[in-house]
């Protein structure tokens, strides 16, 4: 299985960063192909809402940054693990910006899906998504519930599904084993 980890930790070498590295090591030890993308080191300008990726440069962001690399990594994976410490009750802006720049992966055309309006898929296959959060001392259970709900909706919007949400309260080896069971 090809596993890509989008690491939304803004500070290199932090305890959360080390957790992500152990998670990746566990996946490699289980003979999976693993790529860890440190979002802090990428040039991500953020989605400007210009919709050029829909009409002017279909399937590609018109802004010149690393978003195309993220989109290729997403499409080339079987499982994408979104990782982020919690910041003010939500994931970091790095992870949010990263997923916002996945909009080229869907069509501008809409369809009714499950009684709701959603964009059509641009590609035949999309990876499963998982979310690993690093709660802080001020993170509440409500913060975790809201964050999970938002990311589950986001997964649906990028033609995927969120198969697992875990926190760093669990050992990384245990989290990866749970990911395998869910996938």
């Amino acid at each position: 299985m090809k596993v890509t980890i989008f690491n939304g930790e803004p500070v290199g070498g932090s305890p959360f960063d080390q957790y992500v590295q152990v998670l990746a090591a566990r996946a490699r030890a289980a003979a999976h192909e693993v790529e860890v993308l440190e979002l802090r080191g990428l040039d991500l300008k953020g989605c400007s809402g210009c919709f050029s990726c829909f009409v002017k440069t279909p399937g590609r962001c018109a802004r010149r940054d690393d978003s195309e690399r993220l989109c290729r990594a997403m499409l080339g994976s079987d499982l994408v693990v979104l990782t982020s410490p919690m910041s003010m009750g939500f994931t970091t802006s790095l992870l949010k910006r990263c997923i916002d720049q996945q909009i080229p992966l869907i069509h501008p055309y809409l369809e009714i899906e499950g009684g709701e309006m959603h964009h059509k898929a641009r590609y035949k296959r999309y990876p499963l998504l998982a979310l690993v959060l690093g709660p802080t001392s001020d993170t509440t259970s409500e913060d975790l519930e809201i964050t999970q709900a938002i990311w589950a909706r986001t997964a649906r919007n990028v033609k995927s599904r969120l198969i697992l949400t875990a926190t760093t309260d669990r050992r990384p080896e245990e989290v990866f084993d749970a990911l395998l069971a869910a996938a």
Side-chain angles (χ1 to χ4, degrees), residues 47-141:
C47 181
S48 66
C50 71
F51 297 111
S52 289
C53 62
F54 284 164
V55 293
K56 290 184 181 177
T57 58
R60 293 182 56 216
C61 181
R63 299 181 91 177
R64 299 292 175 215
D65 65 4
D66 289 326
S67 61
E68 187 171 343
R69 180 178 177 194
L70 293 175
C71 287
R72 287 183 186 279
M74 179 84 117
L75 289 175
S77 301
D78 299 305
L79 172 65
V80 172
V81 184
L82 308 167
T83 68
S84 175
M86 299 289 286
S87 176
M88 296 190 301
F90 195 62
T91 56
T92 62
S93 61
L94 275 174
L95 188 61
K96 179 67 169 93
R97 190 175 330 132
C98 160
I99 209 72
D100 286 350
Q101 289 192 258
Q102 302 295 305
I103 197 168
L105 300 181
I106 55 177
H107 268 296
Y109 309 110
L110 300 170
E111 64 186 350
I112 295 175
E113 181 183 291
E116 299 176 345
M117 204 65 130
H118 288 277
H119 287 274
K120 289 186 175 187
R122 185 178 293 277
Y123 301 100
K124 291 182 182 194
R125 184 187 156 290
Y126 292 85
L128 296 171
L129 298 181
L131 181 64
V132 177
L133 301 170
T136 59
S137 60
D138 64 343
T139 301
T140 66
S141 60

Side-chain angles (χ1 to χ4, degrees), residues 99 129 149-160:
I99 209 72
L129 298 181
I150 289 171
W151 283 99
R153 297 292 299 171
T154 300
R156 187 171 181 187
N157 287 332
V158 293
K159 303 302 172 194
S160 183

